[in-house]
């Protein structure tokens, strides 16, 4: 209990307008320090997008197998799409300078052969493309650690870009292989067609041979027919004189027809002359009647002349009718004779036909012979044509096979090797197509050394707290005398300044000798 | 050494500190070249009065005139006229300096010559070992050294607080004798002491307050009644 009372008495000591706040201020000190320190370290990676990082793209785009590969630019575009860091796209010199000056926390450099190496994806031995990250721990070790933590993500992004490039290259290769296979397929088709042609040729050849055989049979039959017909012809040769009688029936018929026509014509003429004679008689009668009725007219000469003419006409018409009668009778007689002649032609015709039948057989045989020889010729022609087709087909077949072989060989050459070592290497490179080389202008190597500047600052701050507990900040004697306030303040500041430089140097010397490093990351800066 | 000392005339002055009223309704007059002693027990506001008279503590009321300078308007001029030799606590020589270093410091801050300091030491009749620590000096000698260092700059007045504190009788006599020598040059010496010396001094008595120091309570009551 005594201890508690004594403790309470110690607290009671703080009386007065300001002194009573001393315990309160003490209570707030941990809050002040803790909140400030925690706040500054609460989320060190939360504002990465405000950390300036230089990106240098020295990549040279390449054209490989018809594909334009610009992986560096693609990478830059990917970075622009993200805001992990505050990307600054700069040239190499500016980036290096900015890194040394502390304007950038680190730099990412895409080397000039980035695309070139990625383009080797489809080669037998693909190369791994690399990126260069340069850090500077003198600008802050934490930023370097942040670079390490996002390195995986960066690697993923770069790999994604690389894989896209690979995919394009490989698809280009596939397209080419597909083209070659298409050609091979066409060549196979030609080969098949060649086989077809030769089959057709063989069929045509056998057909031609059949034709030749048939033709030969026909020829022998035709020859037989000819000899038979010749024998018959010999037998019937004596009746050949009547052979010409063949034309007789036609002539006789013509004659009959002609006499018929003549009879008909003469009939018509007789009818006409009859009619005319009748008319003329009627005319003479009419004139004579006129004369009898009118005797004064009968005395007229004109009437006399007309009557005379009419009598002459009537006489002529009667004579013509008589002549026509006579002619018709004669024609009818001739017609009767012609019909008799026609009736006699039939037996004559039968006789002549007996002669002509063997001759017909002969002609048919001869025709068959000609046909047979034609068949032979055609068969031989077909045979020759078929041989030609067969030869062409065989040639095409060979060409097609050769084409196919060439294409298959060519395509085979394009397909990556199957040597196990090479396959293992290629798979390794394609699986992780890029690598990130890191470099450090001022490597801290170990965590403690990286954080040394930070803790040196805290150490010097503590120095400041202690220094003015022990040192007098103001010389009161000088203050009461004729000395300027600036001089008094500066004089009060100098001892602490000098001592802190010495203290900082001691601390630095210890830490650098402790880690055995070669470069001092923190000079004798004072912490007030 | 011949100095025009300051003349001080105060009418009804009062000052207030963090603990309340220090002194109130005080009248006094100090002639140039006088040795004036504010007499009273420790804690009665002697130091505060010395500070107020030299323009280093603001008054809340009253009229104060120092050689024609009216305070508080011309406090800065008055501070230049009246320099402290010792004020307790706060203004003392550094105990761990050597005498030599104290002299060097004073030459730096006051711009006085070595000769002036030697003259001032002669005036107060001491000859301290220059290599001795201030701490090692006899208290009387230590106080007189502080007085001499201030006098060397020949101000019109000096402040010497707590003259008899921790001094044996012989030491007191020595100090008062030294201060009289200083006052004899025309310099006004404002000192404070528990017991004023007998003889040729202006004693400024402080109104003795009760042992319970009811100033603060009175102050509050005043404010309530106001």
């Amino acid at each position: 209990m005594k201890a508690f009372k004594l403790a309470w008495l110690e607290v009671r000591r703080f009386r007065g307008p300001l002194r009573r706040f001393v315990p309160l201020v003490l209570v707030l000190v941990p809050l002040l320090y803790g909140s400030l320190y925690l706040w500054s370290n609460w989320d060190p990676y939360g504002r990465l997008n405000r950390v300036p990082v230089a990106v240098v793209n020295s990549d040279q785009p390449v054209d490989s197998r018809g594909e334009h590969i610009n992986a560096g630019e693609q990478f830059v575009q990917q970075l622009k799409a993200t805001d992990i860091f505050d990307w600054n796209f700069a040239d190499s010199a500016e980036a290096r300078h900015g890194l040394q000056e502390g304007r950038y926390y680190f730099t990412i450099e895409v080397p000039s052969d980035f695309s070139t190496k990625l383009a080797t994806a489809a080669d037998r031995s693909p190369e791994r493309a690399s990126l260069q990250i340069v850090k500077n721990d003198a600008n802050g070790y934490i930023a370097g650690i942040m670079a390490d933590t996002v390195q995986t993500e960066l690697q993923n992004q770069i790999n994604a870009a690389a894989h896209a490039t690979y995919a394009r290259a490989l698809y280009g290769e596939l397209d080419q292989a597909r083209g070659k296979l298409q050609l091979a397929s066409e060549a196979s088709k030609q080969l098949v067609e060649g086989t077809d042609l030769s089959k057709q040729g063989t069929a045509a050849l056998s057909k031609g041979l059949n034709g030749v055989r048939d033709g030969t049979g026909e020829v022998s039959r035709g020859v037989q027919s000819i000899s038979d017909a010749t024998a018959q012809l010999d037998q019937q040769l004596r009746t050949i004189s009547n052979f010409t009688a063949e034309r007789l029936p036609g002539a006789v018929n013509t004659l009959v027809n002609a006499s018929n026509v003549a009879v008909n014509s003469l009939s018509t003429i007789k009818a006409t002359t009859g009619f005319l004679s009748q008319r003329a008689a009627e005319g003479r009668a009419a004139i004579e009647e006129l004369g009898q009725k009118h005797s004064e007219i009968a005395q007229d000469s004109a009437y006399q002349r007309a009557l005379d003419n009419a009598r002459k006409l009537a006489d002529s018409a009667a004579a013509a009718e008589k002549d026509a009668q006579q002619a018709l009778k004669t024609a009818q007689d001739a017609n009767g004779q012609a019909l008799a002649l026609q009736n006699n032609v039939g037996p004559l015709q039968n006789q002549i036909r007996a002669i002509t039948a063997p001759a017909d057989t002969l002609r048919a045989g001869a025709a068959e012979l000609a046909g047979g020889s034609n068949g032979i010729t055609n068969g031989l022609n077909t045979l020759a044509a078929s041989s030609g087709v067969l030869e062409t087909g065989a040639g095409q077949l060979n060409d097609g096979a050769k084409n196919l072989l060439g294409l298959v060989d060519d395509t085979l050459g394009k397909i990556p090797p199957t040597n196990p070592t090479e396959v293992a290497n290629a798979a390794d490179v394609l699986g992780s197509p890029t690598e990130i080389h890191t470099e450090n202008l001022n490597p801290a190597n170990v965590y403690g050394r990286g954080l040394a500047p930070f803790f040196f600052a805290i150490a010097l701050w503590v120095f400041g707290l202690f220094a003015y507990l022990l040192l007098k900040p103001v010389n009161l004697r000088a203050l009461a005398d004729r000395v300027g306030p600036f001089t008094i303040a500066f004089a009060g500041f100098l001892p602490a300044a000098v001592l802190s430089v010495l203290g900082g140097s001691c601390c630095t010397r210890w830490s650098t000798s402790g880690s055995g490093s070669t470069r001092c990351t923190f000079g004798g800066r004072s912490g007030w | 050494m011949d100095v025009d000392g300051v003349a001080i005339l105060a009418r009804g002055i009062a000052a207030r500190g963090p603990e309340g009223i220090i002194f109130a309704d005080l009248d006094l007059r100090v002639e140039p070249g006088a040795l004036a002693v504010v007499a009273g027990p420790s804690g009665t506001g002697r130091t505060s009065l010395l500070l107020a008279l030299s323009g280093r503590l603001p008054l809340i009321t009253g009229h104060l005139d120092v050689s024609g300078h009216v305070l508080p308007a011309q406090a800065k001029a008055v501070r230049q006229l009246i320099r402290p030799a010792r004020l307790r606590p706060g203004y003392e020589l550094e105990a761990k300096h050597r005498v030599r270093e104290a002299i060097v410091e004073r030459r730096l801050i006051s711009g006085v010559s070595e000769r002036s300091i030697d003259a001032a030491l002669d005036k107060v009749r001491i000859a301290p070992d220059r290599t001795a620590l201030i701490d090692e000096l006899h208290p009387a000698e230590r106080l007189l050294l502080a007085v001499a260092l201030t006098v060397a700059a020949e101000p019109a007045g000096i402040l010497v607080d707590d003259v008899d504190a921790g001094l044996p009788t012989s030491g007191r006599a020595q100090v008062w004798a030294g201060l009289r020598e200083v006052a004899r040059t025309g310099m006004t010496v404002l000192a404070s002491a528990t017991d004023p010396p007998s003889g040729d001094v202006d004693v400024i008595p402080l109104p003795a307050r009760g042992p319970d120091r009811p100033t603060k309570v009175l102050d509050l009551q005043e404010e309530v009644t106001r």
Side-chain angles (χ1 to χ4, degrees), chain A residues 16-17 472 475-478 480-483, chain B residues 56 83-84 90-92 94 105-106 109-110:
Chain A
K472 279 181 184 158
N475 184 331
L476 289 173
R477 292 179 295 278
D481 220 310
R482 56 180 73 172
V483 180
Chain B
R56 289 180 169 89
R83 294 285 170 80
Y91 192 91
E92 285 180 279
E94 173 57 48
E105 182 194 68
R106 188 55 54 125
I109 63 180
S110 297

Side-chain angles (χ1 to χ4, degrees), chain A residues 219-301:
Chain A
V219 168
S220 64
R221 274 202 307 277
V223 168
Q224 186 64 45
S225 298
I226 288 171
S227 64
D228 290 355
T230 311
Q232 284 185 338
L233 193 60
D234 283 342
Q235 288 172 357
Q236 301 289 335
L237 262 177
R238 44 198 167 84
T239 57
I240 200 79
S241 56
N242 295 327
F243 191 70
T244 51
E246 185 79 9
R247 293 183 190 170
L248 206 52
V252 172
N253 287 341
T254 308
L255 185 61
V256 171
N257 288 343
S259 61
N260 272 339
V261 171
V263 169
N264 290 341
S265 302
L266 287 170
S267 297
T268 309
I269 289 166
K270 190 204 163 271
T272 308
T273 50
F275 183 68
L276 273 175
S277 157
Q278 200 182 337
R279 283 291 177 184
E282 282 174 2
R284 194 190 64 190
I287 290 168
E288 280 169 357
E289 196 182 328
L290 187 63
Q292 283 163 359
K293 285 177 184 172
H294 305 283
S295 50
E296 72 270 17
I297 293 172
Q299 301 306 318
D300 191 67
S301 64

Side-chain angles (χ1 to χ4, degrees), chain A residues 88-399:
Chain A
N88 293 271
F89 300 93
D91 62 35
S92 186
E94 150 67 12
R96 178 53 67 107
H97 193 60
L99 184 66
Q100 282 165 351
E101 298 284 311
R103 284 201 303 280
Y104 303 127
Y105 282 90
F106 60 93
T107 65
I108 301 175
E109 185 163 355
V110 183
S112 57
D113 60 352
F114 190 64
S115 286
T116 313
K117 284 191 172 168
L118 282 180
T120 61
D123 288 358
R124 276 173 190 273
S125 50
E127 285 182 83
R128 186 172 273 141
S130 66
L131 286 181
Q132 181 91 351
I133 289 183
V134 186
K135 301 190 282 186
N136 187 1
D137 282 346
N139 292 344
Y141 185 66
I142 299 289
I145 291 180
M146 285 188 264
D148 291 341
T149 56
V150 298
Q151 191 168 331
T152 319
E153 195 169 343
L154 277 177
Q155 177 105 48
N156 285 341
Q157 291 214 341
I158 300 157
N159 279 355
H163 280 140
T165 308
Y166 280 5
R168 274 212 300 283
L170 288 175
Y171 272 111
E173 287 289 304
L174 274 180
D175 220 33
Q176 284 185 334
R178 190 173 166 280
K180 298 278 183 195
L181 280 174
Q182 215 155 27
L183 285 176
S185 154
E186 271 164 24
S188 320
K189 223 179 275 176
Q190 283 179 345
L191 197 61
V192 169
E193 275 168 13
T195 321
D196 227 29
L197 273 177
S198 76
K199 204 164 76 181
Q200 281 176 4
T202 315
L205 193 61
S206 70
K207 212 194 237 171
L209 282 171
N210 280 338
V212 171
R213 197 183 56 205
D214 293 353
T216 316
E218 279 177 43
V219 168
S220 64
R221 274 202 307 277
V223 168
Q224 186 64 45
S225 298
I226 288 171
S227 64
D228 290 355
T230 311
Q232 284 185 338
L233 193 60
D234 283 342
Q235 288 172 357
Q236 301 289 335
L237 262 177
R238 44 198 167 84
T239 57
I240 200 79
S241 56
N242 295 327
F243 191 70
T244 51
E246 185 79 9
R247 293 183 190 170
L248 206 52
V252 172
N253 287 341
T254 308
L255 185 61
V256 171
N257 288 343
S259 61
N260 272 339
V261 171
V263 169
N264 290 341
S265 302
L266 287 170
S267 297
T268 309
I269 289 166
K270 190 204 163 271
T272 308
T273 50
F275 183 68
L276 273 175
S277 157
Q278 200 182 337
R279 283 291 177 184
E282 282 174 2
R284 194 190 64 190
I287 290 168
E288 280 169 357
E289 196 182 328
L290 187 63
Q292 283 163 359
K293 285 177 184 172
H294 305 283
S295 50
E296 72 270 17
I297 293 172
Q299 301 306 318
D300 191 67
S301 64
Y303 173 74
Q304 292 291 336
R305 262 193 322 266
L307 183 61
D308 200 29
N309 284 343
R311 277 171 186 161
K312 282 179 188 170
L313 184 59
D315 291 347
S316 302
E321 193 186 357
K322 207 188 275 175
D323 290 348
Q325 188 83 28
Q326 191 61 44
L328 179 61
K329 199 169 177 305
T330 315
Q332 277 168 344
D333 289 348
N335 193 26
Q337 286 173 346
L339 283 171
L341 185 61
Q342 192 176 33
N343 290 335
N344 292 330
V345 166
L348 183 64
Q349 230 173 0
N350 287 339
Q351 282 185 328
I352 290 166
R353 274 193 192 120
I355 301 169
T356 52
D360 283 345
T361 313
L362 183 64
R363 196 180 57 217
E368 268 186 78
L369 186 62
S373 17
N374 274 344
I376 294 170
T377 309
N378 287 341
L380 286 173
N381 280 342
T382 312
L383 193 62
S386 300
S387 309
V389 170
L390 198 61
E391 199 187 326
T392 312
Q396 284 179 333
L397 197 63
N398 194 22
D399 288 352

Side-chain angles (χ1 to χ4, degrees), chain B:
Chain B
M1 190 180 284
D2 196 13
V3 178
D4 287 334
V6 289
I8 299 170
L9 181 63
R11 292 270 180 270
I13 58 169
R16 192 200 307 229
E19 306 286 324
I21 297 293
I22 306 165
F23 55 84
D25 196 20
L26 191 67
D27 300 334
L28 65 87
R29 175 191 284 273
V30 179
E31 298 299 328
L35 171 57
V37 179
V38 179
S42 176
T44 52
R46 297 176 309 183
T47 308
S48 298
L49 180 58
L50 291 186
L51 288 171
L53 293 179
S54 64
R56 289 180 169 89
L57 181 74
L59 299 173
I60 54 173
T61 185
H63 172 79
L64 180 59
D65 180 300
V66 180
S67 292
H69 302 291
V70 180
L71 282 89
Q74 290 168 301
K76 189 178 178 185
V78 174
R79 287 200 295 272
Q80 293 299 320
L81 288 174
I82 306 174
R83 294 285 170 80
R86 176 164 89 171
L87 289 170
R88 280 179 147 181
Y91 192 91
E92 285 180 279
L93 295 181
E94 173 57 48
K96 294 301 176 187
H97 276 171
R98 297 192 185 280
V99 173
R100 187 178 59 222
E101 288 161 347
I103 290 170
V104 168
E105 182 194 68
R106 188 55 54 125
R107 288 184 61 190
L108 285 172
I109 63 180
S110 297
V112 293
S113 63
E114 184 84 38
R115 220 155 47 117
S116 308
I117 289 174
D118 286 342
L121 289 174
D122 286 346
K123 183 67 70 185
V124 296
R125 293 171 189 166
I126 56 167
D129 176 6
R130 300 292 170 102
T131 60
L133 288 175
I134 302 293
D135 231 4
E136 294 168 351
L137 294 178
H138 187 272
E141 198 178 19
R142 198 187 310 157
L143 176 56
L144 285 174
L145 175 62
V147 170
L149 290 176
T150 307
V151 166
E154 298 182 13
I158 62 169
L159 302 175
V160 187
D161 193 22
D162 238 357
V163 171
D164 51 3
L167 282 182
T169 314
S170 60
R172 293 181 190 188
Q174 186 189 356
V175 171
W176 289 123
L179 291 177
R180 277 198 188 90
E181 284 301 318
V182 171
R184 205 160 288 143
T185 63
M187 198 179 292
T188 308
V189 177
L190 294 169
S192 77
T194 311
D195 302 310
S198 57
D200 180 21
V201 293
D202 295 347
V203 175
I204 303 167
L206 279 171
R209 289 176 291 190
D212 56 347
R213 299 192 62 188
T215 45
K216 202 170 175 182
V217 179
L218 282 171
D219 205 358
L220 285 171
Q221 278 173 343
E222 269 176 35
E223 282 182 5
V224 168
T225 51
R226 227 177 266 164

